[in-house]
Amino acid sequence: MKNPQIALLLFGVVVLMGLTTVDTGAAASSTGTFGSQWQSLVGEWNGESPSGGSSGACGFHLDLSGHIITRTNHAELAAAPGRPAGVHDDLMIIYPGPTEDKAKAIYFDNEGHVIEYSVEWSADGNLLTFLTKPGAGPQFRLTYKKTGPEKFLVAFEMAAPGQPGSFKPYTSGTIKRTGK
């Protein structure tokens, strides 16, 4: 540029735009924290299959200085009627909601699914429910029910489009803690 004052002015505008973007991001950050009940999930888990067919493992980890929980999951799926054997991998990021027993989550898997959940612990701290909003597609519910100090019954259910809350089981199993 021929005029250094215009170049300096443009530089200033770009810097201010960058600061505004950073400030806007800070305003959208989560102000909640995870309550103590979340500690019951943190660690490594193995799936237990009574039939011995499918197998899997998952892990829940506090990340980003405790501001999020990441869940990774890997399952080796046995062939079933109408379904070939396969592998399922997914990642879920859980972030605090307005209270210590509530959160939001976003889920991604190797099949291209992206699911957003509202998450809430029951008052007694024994049931964790991930629930999607009803919409044009199916509604999903994922639950973790404590069945012992180191075990959860995990159930994934779906409600058909136009039938919110009418959940039908899709899959379920038990996970047992193998380490923290």
Side-chain angles (χ1 to χ4, degrees), residues 114-169:
V114 177
I115 303 172
E116 294 183 24
Y117 289 103
S118 291
V119 188
E120 185 170 358
W121 282 97
S122 61
D124 65 5
N126 288 320
L127 180 67
L128 179 61
T129 303
F130 293 75
L131 184 64
T132 63
K133 290 180 184 176
Q139 184 181 21
F140 302 108
R141 180 169 61 190
L142 173 65
T143 57
Y144 286 79
K145 182 178 181 177
K146 287 184 187 177
T147 58
E150 304 293 317
K151 271 190 168 181
F152 280 93
L153 173 62
V154 183
F156 183 68
E157 303 166 293
M158 293 173 43
Q163 298 178 12
S166 300
F167 293 102
K168 302 219 179 337

Side-chain angles (χ1 to χ4, degrees), residues 62-116:
L62 284 166
D63 285 314
L64 301 179
S65 300
H67 291 280
I68 65 168
I69 296 172
T70 56
R71 185 201 76 175
T72 54
N73 181 59
H74 176 79
E76 302 282 336
L77 305 172
R83 185 189 78 205
V87 172
H88 178 85
D89 291 307
D90 63 67
L91 167 71
M92 183 184 294
I93 299 169
I94 305 165
Y95 53 99
T99 61
E100 291 185 346
D101 61 339
K102 293 183 180 179
K104 297 284 187 182
I106 187 162
Y107 163 98
F108 307 90
D109 70 20
N110 63 327
E111 298 170 24
H113 298 111
V114 177
I115 303 172
E116 294 183 24

Side-chain angles (χ1 to χ4, degrees), residues 12-28:
V13 169
V14 170
V15 168
L16 284 174
M17 287 174 55
L19 290 175
T20 302
T21 302
V22 170
D23 188 43
T24 301

